[in-house]
Amino acid sequence: MGLLIVALAGVAGAQKKAESPAELADEAAIRDYVLTMPKIEAFAAAQKEYSGGKADAAVAAEGKRLEADEKSSMLEKVKMIETTCPHLNAWIRQHGMTPREFMLTPMTLMTVGIAEYAKQKGGKLPDFISEANLQFYEQHKADLEKLGLGSGGGDSE
């Protein structure tokens, strides 16, 4: 899982009401982020490389350091990548993403997947779920499954 854990560290918290300014900022970033297949494909390729052990030791060490940080918000981790993780930052950029895109793509995808599942079960969508991203998720579900990034909320029932 590796970097996916880093990128999705706040998903559990996303299901509760945001309380801190950092949580509110993360929610606003998720709401305003626009999912696209090129962004998702770039993230999936990077994740596959990282999970396959093909990222160098310095990238892996910086990734593990971020994984271990359970206190920082998603946007705080973006800043950490930009300022204190030079190898990871360069590696992300080599995959055609910014650190912000790298963090927001899977976080937004996962929260939209969870929201879509909740919607199917009659639940209310959180305010920070963009209707455009929900439609994108529904339209590209098969493509996301092929990339191993679909079924955010529990299609395994």
Side-chain angles (χ1 to χ4, degrees):
M1 291 291 276
L3 290 179
L4 188 57
I5 292 170
V6 171
L8 298 178
V11 169
Q15 293 185 336
K16 67 177 182 67
K17 184 100 172 122
E19 297 173 5
S20 73
E23 290 171 333
L24 291 170
D26 282 356
E27 285 186 1
I30 291 168
R31 180 190 60 243
D32 296 340
Y33 191 69
V34 178
L35 290 171
T36 67
M37 282 310 295
K39 290 175 188 176
I40 290 169
E41 289 166 346
F43 177 83
Q47 177 60 29
K48 183 177 180 180
E49 180 180 311
Y50 187 89
S51 296
K54 295 180 182 170
D56 71 33
V59 170
E62 290 174 357
K64 287 184 191 308
R65 190 178 74 209
L66 285 176
E67 287 174 40
D69 179 352
E70 296 179 7
K71 294 181 181 178
S72 297
S73 73
M74 176 186 60
L75 293 177
E76 289 167 343
K77 287 186 178 188
V78 168
K79 292 290 183 205
M80 290 169 63
I81 292 169
E82 293 171 339
T83 60
T84 66
C85 300
H87 300 96
L88 183 58
N89 189 5
W91 182 81
I92 289 168
R93 291 179 187 283
Q94 287 173 347
H95 283 85
M97 295 176 282
T98 66
R100 184 176 176 86
E101 290 170 327
F102 179 78
M103 295 297 285
L104 277 165
T105 296
M107 178 63 106
T108 302
L109 183 61
M110 181 66 87
T111 56
V112 169
I114 292 168
E116 191 263 349
Y117 181 75
K119 180 181 168 185
Q120 288 177 4
K121 300 295 182 186
K124 182 182 178 299
L125 294 179
D127 293 337
F128 64 93
I129 299 298
S130 152
E131 187 63 38
N133 281 336
L134 184 60
Q135 289 174 1
F136 173 89
Y137 182 88
E138 291 168 346
Q139 291 169 352
H140 292 89
K141 219 170 186 180
D143 296 324
L144 297 170
E145 290 291 333
K146 287 178 190 172
L147 293 171
L149 297 173
S151 67
D155 290 0
S156 61
E157 281 192 336

